[in-house]
Every structure is written in C-alpha cells, then in structure tokens.
Amino acid sequence: MQETSTSDDHRDAERAHRLRDFQRIRAFSEQLCEPLVIEDYGLQTVVEASPPKWHLAHVSWFYETFLLRPFLPGYRVFHPRFEYLFNSYYEQTGSGFWPRHERGLLSRPTVAEVYDYRQHVDAAMARLIAECPSTDWATAEPRLGIGLNHEQQHQELLITDIKRHFAHNPLRPAYRADLPQSPLRDPDPLRWLSCDGGLAEIGAPSRAGSEGFAYDNEHPRHRVFLEPFALADRLVTNGEFLEFMTDGGYEQTALWLSDGWATVRQHGWRSPLYWERQEGAWHLMTLSGMRPLNPAEPVCHVSYYEADAFATWAGKRLPTESEWERVAVDQPLTGNFVDAGWLHPRPAGPAEGDGPRQLFGDVWEWTGSAYLPYPGYRAAPGALGEYNGKFMCNQMVLRGGSCATSADHVRATYRNFFYPRERWQFKGFRLAESRS
C-alpha cells in the first residue's frame, strides 16, 4: 500500500506541475495582448503576420484538436466551425483550413468570443491533466509538451506580428511606450573565437520528456566533421551594417546571391526592415515607437540574403548550424529574452574572458545551413508529423532565440527556420571564417 501511495503522490505532483506550466503559459499569451485596443486584434497587414485574435484562437484549437478531442471523454467542442477557421496548415486533421492571407478578414468570432473559447479550453485541459488515465497520459503528456512549446512560439509571433502591423501605420503607434532603451553608443570591438576541427556531436541527446523537451527536427543526435573555424564573439551591429550600406552594399550585384539580388530589386530594399531616414538621420520602428538608430545594437530584421551579402562584403561568411551549436552547447542559456522586458535587441555586454557574447536572445541568428532533416530523421505519423518535417525545403536555419523568445523555450539544439527573403522576425547574424 505504501508503494502505491508513493507512486500516486508522484503522479499527482507531476500532474500539478504540468497544470501550473499550462496555466502560466496560457496567462502570458493574454498578458501580451493587454496593451492592445479592440481594433488591433483583427489586423493583418501582410500575409506572413497573422492577427492577434487568430493567434489566441489557434493555440486553443491545437489543444482541442490534439488533446481534448482524443483524450477527454465527452468533450464538446466550443464551436464546430472553429476547427476550420483556426487550423493553420494541418492537412491530415481532415477539417481543411481558412486561407492564411484572409485571416484578417474575419470580424467574427469577436474578440470576446475568442477569450470565451480560451476559457472553455482551459477548463477542459485542467480536467484532462487531472483525470487522464495513466495509459493515455503516456501519449497525452508529450503532446502537452508540444502544445506548450507551440503556444510559446505563437507568443513570439504575437510580438513580432504586432510590430509588423503597427509599423504599417503612418502614425507609428507604440505597443508599449514604457519599454526601456539602451544608451546610444558605438559598438565594442569584435573579437574572434578560434575553434578546432574534428568530430562533434550535434542534436538533442534523446527524445526526452517534460524536463528535456526538444522538437523532432532536433533529432537524431549525430556526428559531424568540422574543419577549423573562427566565430565572431558578438552579433553584427547597426553601426557595422550602416557601413555596408554607405559603401553601396545594396547596389553591388557581386555581393549578392542571384535570388537575393532579384529580391532586392523587386522590393527596392535599401536598408533593413523598419529603418527610416528622418531629418537626415536613421531611425527605426520599435515596439515603443520610433527611436534613433543605436549603432551598438545588433542589426535586426534582415533577410538571409542581406546577412549573406554583408558577410561577403566583409570577406567572411555565416556560420553553419553545426559550428554554431558546437560553440553554444557549452554556454549558459542566458541572454536578452522576452522575460527581461526589453522587447528589443540590446548592445553586447562587456567581454568577459575568451567566451562568446549574445549567443542566446536578442536576435535569431541566420546560419549558412539549409533546413534539412538530420541523418535518420523520420517525421511522426499522423497530423502532428506535419509540425516540422514538411517544411524541410527552401528554408534556412536560425539559432539562439531572440528578445521575443521565452527563456525556457530555447536551447542550444533548437532549430528555427524561415524562408531566406523573410525579415519581419527578430533576425540578425554573426560572422564566421574558416581557419586552416
């Protein structure tokens, strides 16, 4: 009896811990929306950025679709058409989905109804976490881990999408006027960290549970051979990127990949996204409105094409994702994350010893690696297998998290991925070079 009681106590403590995680993450999504007014919730100014209302509903749809409907007996969906409206891209659920570029055309359901939907899902999830039989929990608990990390991804999208929508407005409204700002200063000197070549192990170590979550695209762990290389100890800054611009970087076709040059000409790019000339000086749009350009801050909202062109101009290259992980895996997971409350990249702190700076937080770092499966990767069966695997084509890997990423969401093995033309996320880069 004592052994059974101890086992039950452990199960109850584990379930209580997961419920606290669920409630904390759900509450943060709504906290991020507190500065919004009702008119902001339905904005969709570009196809890649969804309305805040849609994000709030979609993450609830995820729990409803992959946890509540299969594992909570008697569960009744909040609305039968929400399965269609708030599915993002999952073909195998059988519901189809509303076109991505028309998410901003839905005045209904109202914002109030979306919050009611969230409360309905939250109450049902609390019952599921408490009551799910152990035989089902073995499958449901890993899905809950995916759901929590999925909502954290959409929290980051909430922030970046709101910034994109507000930047479209000629009033340049502030999401939060009270955000802190770093003092204007010049960048610190850049240092180079030399790394030996040889065999290295890359990827998440195991398909772990709640304490060691990793997405399927981080598996399997495998060996790679690295040639000797050096990595810049910090990110490329606004001031350095301005030098590239002043030197005609956007006009020199020899610096650009063919697709990059075509994109520059098609869209008329002459600076990173959100940079504006005002009264002869550069300013940039932030989540607290327009600010003067700070030369020491990491350059942000640049495409892979711009990062690659700068690296070519500087006589360097972008690191591969294996090189980046080789350096990052031994570093503490500290940095300027959303938890710090800046919601904007910060200048690199002073160099301490011979280690790297800004590996985590501030901006997602473009690498020179295409987003492809690791050797031996197999997508999971069913609709959840569509989460990552079907996007392993025509995209590039980014590493490290950003100022919009939760600190407990990122890790050294995390593989983010975007199309090389995209700029609206908090994306920057650091340089690398080969060594003999």
Side-chain angles (χ1 to χ4, degrees):
M1 289 294 294
Q2 181 64 39
E3 182 177 341
T4 301
S5 176
T6 301
S7 176
D8 289 344
D9 290 345
H10 177 76
R11 185 206 67 179
D12 292 344
E14 179 194 66
R15 301 282 184 103
H17 176 73
R18 296 307 274 165
L19 179 60
R20 287 193 297 271
D21 283 344
F22 176 79
Q23 292 172 335
R24 170 179 59 85
I25 289 171
R26 294 288 279 173
F28 188 55
S29 295
E30 298 183 10
Q31 179 184 333
L32 289 173
C33 292
E34 288 175 0
L36 303 180
V37 298
I38 201 71
E39 291 83 357
D40 298 329
Y41 278 88
L43 281 173
Q44 185 180 28
T45 55
V46 292
V47 64
E48 63 266 22
S50 297
K53 181 174 70 173
W54 187 90
H55 285 298
L56 292 175
H58 167 69
V59 291
S60 302
W61 167 89
F62 189 96
Y63 297 114
E64 188 172 66
T65 300
F66 294 110
L67 284 155
L68 295 175
R69 292 175 65 186
F71 295 113
L72 186 63
Y75 175 74
R76 299 185 64 178
V77 298
F78 183 81
H79 192 291
R81 293 298 283 165
F82 281 13
E83 182 181 14
Y84 171 68
L85 287 181
F86 299 120
N87 180 1
S88 54
Y89 52 70
Y90 295 88
E91 302 280 0
Q92 297 180 61
T93 61
S95 63
F97 43 85
W98 182 256
R100 180 178 183 179
H101 66 280
E102 294 185 358
R103 291 171 183 170
L105 302 180
L106 300 171
S107 63
R108 306 297 175 93
T110 65
V111 174
E113 287 170 326
V114 167
Y115 276 103
D116 288 344
Y117 179 35
R118 289 179 65 85
Q119 291 177 8
H120 174 85
V121 168
D122 288 354
M125 283 295 299
R127 295 199 307 274
L128 174 66
I129 293 170
E131 301 170 8
C132 185
S134 297
T135 52
D136 288 341
W137 185 247
T139 302
E141 195 276 338
R143 289 193 184 188
L144 176 58
I146 295 173
L148 296 177
N149 280 269
H150 170 256
E151 183 145 4
Q152 288 181 311
Q153 287 181 310
H154 278 270
Q155 290 164 357
E156 184 166 348
L157 287 167
L158 265 170
I159 295 168
T160 54
D161 290 2
I162 288 167
K163 183 175 182 178
R164 186 69 182 90
H165 301 323
F166 280 18
H168 187 78
N169 190 324
L171 297 177
R172 302 294 188 266
Y175 162 71
R176 278 184 49 194
D178 62 336
L179 293 176
Q181 299 185 34
S182 299
L184 296 176
R185 63 176 177 83
D186 292 328
D188 291 337
L190 185 147
R191 298 178 303 132
W192 290 93
L193 310 174
S194 295
C195 302
D196 295 333
L199 284 175
E201 287 197 346
I202 301 299
S206 66
R207 294 189 179 274
S210 59
E211 297 302 317
F213 178 84
Y215 284 115
D216 64 345
N217 65 359
E218 300 170 53
H219 297 287
R221 189 166 176 82
H222 60 286
R223 292 180 299 172
V224 296
F225 185 84
L226 301 176
E227 298 290 346
F229 69 98
L231 193 69
D233 79 314
R234 61 159 172 79
L235 298 162
V236 170
T237 65
N238 288 330
E240 290 161 343
F241 201 85
L242 187 56
E243 293 178 21
F244 164 77
M245 292 164 53
T246 303
D247 195 42
Y250 281 94
E251 287 79 43
Q252 299 182 47
T253 182
L255 300 176
W256 295 81
L257 296 169
S258 176
D259 286 347
W261 184 244
T263 303
V264 166
R265 290 187 297 170
Q266 178 185 356
H267 297 288
W269 290 351
R270 292 295 180 268
S271 66
L273 186 64
Y274 304 139
W275 285 34
E276 296 181 23
R277 292 282 288 181
Q278 295 183 358
E279 299 179 354
W282 283 103
H283 291 67
L284 73 165
M285 177 66 179
T286 75
L287 284 158
S288 60
M290 296 300 297
R291 294 183 185 175
L293 185 75
N294 189 335
E297 290 175 352
V299 67
C300 187
H301 299 295
V302 291
S303 67
Y304 172 80
Y305 297 136
E306 290 162 294
D308 181 80
F310 179 97
T312 300
W313 171 80
K316 308 297 181 183
R317 61 174 175 84
L318 300 178
T320 67
E321 65 168 323
S322 297
E323 290 171 339
W324 189 95
E325 186 174 323
R326 167 74 179 273
V327 174
V329 72
D330 295 324
Q331 302 302 316
L333 280 166
T334 58
N336 174 25
F337 297 112
V338 70
D339 315 64
W342 288 76
L343 302 186
H344 189 74
R346 300 184 63 189
E352 298 180 2
D354 298 326
R357 297 177 284 172
Q358 298 179 302
L359 274 175
F360 299 102
D362 287 308
V363 296
W364 285 102
E365 299 182 33
W366 286 110
T367 72
S369 297
Y371 179 52
L372 295 171
Y374 283 163
Y377 170 83
R378 293 290 184 272
L384 273 177
E386 299 183 54
Y387 198 105
N388 286 312
K390 71 180 186 179
F391 299 109
M392 292 175 171
C393 180
N394 300 330
Q395 305 199 57
M396 303 300 290
V397 173
L398 300 92
R399 294 298 195 108
S402 80
C403 58
T405 309
S406 291
D408 63 353
H409 179 66
V410 77
R411 54 203 160 269
T413 60
Y414 196 117
R415 306 175 77 201
N416 206 347
F417 52 93
F418 286 99
Y419 291 105
R421 66 180 183 277
E422 292 178 324
R423 307 203 293 174
W424 95 107
Q425 279 292 326
F426 286 94
K427 302 171 187 170
F429 62 100
R430 75 177 65 229
L431 299 175
E433 65 179 12
S434 300
R435 296 280 174 93
S436 57

